[in-house]
Amino acid sequence: MQKGPTVNSPSAVSRPKDPSAADRAETRAIRSAIRELSRAYREAHPWLDRSQNAIGLVLQLSAFAGMVGTAVLYARGQLSALVTVVLIAFACSIAHEIEHDLIHLLYFPRQPWVRHGMLAIGWLMRPSTVNPWIRSRLHLHHHRASGTPTDLEERAITNGERWGLKRLLMTADGLLSTWLRLPYSNPRKAWRQLLRGTLGYGPLTWLYHVAIAADLILHLQQWRGGLSPEAQLRLVALDFVMVIWALPNILRTFSLHFVSSNLHYYGDIAEGDILRQTQVLNHPLLMPLQLFCFNFGSTHAIHHFWVSEPFYLRQLTAADAHAVMRERGVRFNDLGTFWRANRYGSRTVPALTETETALASELSTG
């Protein structure tokens, strides 16, 4: 792949300072149309408004029950490991959407203890993710700064990186992404960012990684020369944890990060230009990944225009919303983003301001 100029090089393209008047007008039209679609759907089904809190809670508890029930069936030998991983990964994709809605206060805005309890359940199901209370701050900033170096949430999951082995590894695991971003040429700074970044994932993600490492070590020992009966029992327990907890989340995390990091654009768009922040990425080739991120590629761009819509309603109104978005200039299935490193129109990296450079250096803490 052709390599573009480095950040701050003289030949790097300049990022627009502000959205154009035309882009702002199209954004207003799309937002108005999506809001009207939502209003019409809610008027046709008034119980959706009355039951929004209950729907979110039922979906969260159902996803958790599905995960536990699947684990029980696997423990009894009634499901294969492959089917178990697939079913639990799907359940966890629902938990991710619920967490996203909770960050936007779409459920129980006046009952924080319920909301925090739902966040805790979602994190327990998805231990590969950053602490959800930390993610809340990062995600709200994402909406203000999408496509810029200060968008720590998307940059941390590889948005804007050139494709290669490094990006592939970072896509599968957020904590690994943190470690691979460290400025190793500056040991003092690297140590500080390692500490801050790792703390953001504790304590649940630490246990998740310890379980994976312990399982791999015991399998290696078994391959090299066998295990004691006690160690063999530990391996059986860890293999069970891998199937019901770790492997589903590796699959879910890779699917979500791959889709999300490539439907968002980076670098050569103006801050606040919602029309160009995202594309609709629902190409048939990505359907297997969409299954494990709850059709995120098809519906997330809708969310950027109208954030007050629960994820299940975005699914129900997506076809009509897509028609408006396509007519107004939102891109659909721009697969060129994969070799443009998510640039909207150029392979080159825009020059950063001093402020952006300082903030971008903190990416590994995201």
Side-chain angles (χ1 to χ4, degrees):
M1 182 180 296
Q2 180 181 348
K3 190 173 183 180
T6 59
V7 172
N8 292 329
S9 69
S11 58
V13 298
S14 297
R15 180 185 301 107
K17 291 183 178 180
D18 297 297
S20 68
D23 283 2
R24 288 196 295 267
E26 297 291 7
T27 295
R28 287 193 297 270
I30 293 171
R31 180 181 287 128
S32 177
I34 292 175
R35 186 170 59 238
E36 178 59 25
L37 287 171
S38 174
R39 185 197 63 77
Y41 201 92
R42 288 171 181 271
E43 285 186 355
H45 307 279
W47 61 273
L48 290 171
D49 271 335
R50 295 194 303 267
S51 308
Q52 186 162 306
N53 289 339
I55 292 171
L57 181 60
V58 167
L59 287 172
Q60 178 78 311
L61 294 178
S62 297
F64 183 63
M67 181 179 185
V68 173
T70 301
V72 169
L73 291 176
Y74 173 67
R76 292 177 174 175
Q78 294 175 267
L79 289 178
S80 68
L82 178 60
V83 171
T84 300
V85 168
V86 167
L87 291 177
I88 291 179
F90 177 75
C92 290
S93 75
I94 297 175
H96 171 82
E97 291 296 298
I98 293 290
E99 178 181 288
H100 181 226
D101 286 353
L102 288 167
I103 288 172
H104 288 282
L105 302 180
L106 298 185
Y107 314 120
F108 301 100
R110 296 180 179 84
Q111 295 164 289
W113 65 273
V114 180
R115 194 169 67 252
H116 292 314
M118 291 173 70
L119 285 173
I121 291 173
W123 196 23
L124 180 63
M125 294 175 67
R126 300 155 38 256
S128 59
T129 61
V130 69
N131 180 310
W133 292 274
I134 293 176
R135 186 197 169 210
S136 296
R137 184 180 72 253
L138 296 175
H139 182 72
L140 295 176
H141 179 73
H142 159 69
H143 280 278
R144 293 190 293 270
S146 182
T148 75
T150 70
D151 180 8
L152 306 188
E153 182 178 62
E154 278 299 319
R155 291 288 284 138
I157 65 169
T158 75
N159 180 236
E161 296 281 336
R162 299 189 185 282
W163 273 104
L165 179 60
K166 179 182 177 182
R167 180 166 180 175
L168 191 66
L169 293 173
M170 290 194 299
T171 301
D173 187 86
L175 190 53
L176 183 59
S177 177
T178 295
W179 295 337
L180 290 176
R181 286 181 179 274
L182 296 177
Y184 291 104
S185 59
N186 186 335
R188 186 174 182 178
K189 187 175 183 180
W191 173 251
R192 184 172 68 250
Q193 292 190 7
L194 173 65
L195 182 62
R196 291 178 61 189
T198 304
L199 286 175
Y201 282 88
L204 197 56
T205 310
W206 305 342
L207 297 175
Y208 165 82
H209 278 271
V210 167
I212 293 173
D215 187 73
L216 292 175
I217 290 170
L218 286 177
H219 272 288
L220 180 61
Q221 291 177 346
Q222 184 184 53
W223 175 72
R224 294 186 64 181
L227 297 172
S228 66
E230 294 81 5
Q232 188 64 48
L233 288 176
R234 286 195 293 270
L235 180 59
V236 170
L238 284 168
D239 280 347
F240 179 74
V241 170
M242 288 289 290
V243 171
I244 69 161
W245 206 42
L247 291 176
N249 274 287
I250 292 171
L251 174 59
R252 183 202 65 83
T253 299
F254 181 85
S255 299
L256 175 66
H257 290 185
F258 186 90
V259 171
S260 181
S261 67
N262 288 295
L263 72 86
H264 289 88
Y265 289 105
Y266 169 77
D268 55 352
I269 59 173
E271 183 170 337
D273 191 348
I274 298 174
L275 187 74
R276 298 170 186 256
Q277 286 177 356
T278 60
Q279 64 164 313
V280 174
L281 194 57
N282 58 2
H283 194 279
L285 289 175
L286 298 175
M287 286 302 106
L289 299 183
Q290 302 277 25
L291 177 65
F292 304 114
C293 58
F294 212 83
N295 203 29
F296 192 87
S298 183
T299 60
H300 185 67
I302 301 171
H303 171 70
H304 271 245
F305 288 98
W306 183 240
V307 300
S308 301
E309 191 80 295
F311 76 100
Y312 50 87
L313 282 183
R314 287 199 300 276
Q315 302 290 339
L316 295 171
T317 60
D320 291 331
H322 285 170
V324 174
M325 293 162 71
R326 190 188 297 274
E327 180 183 354
R328 295 287 180 175
V330 175
R331 289 182 177 178
F332 279 67
N333 296 317
D334 171 22
L335 301 186
T337 186
F338 291 100
W339 58 81
R340 296 195 310 267
N342 309 127
R343 304 312 187 267
Y344 194 85
S346 172
R347 294 187 184 193
T348 57
V349 184
L352 306 185
T353 65
E354 290 184 6
T355 301
E356 289 174 334
T357 301
L359 287 168
S361 71
E362 301 297 323
L363 282 172
S364 64
T365 67

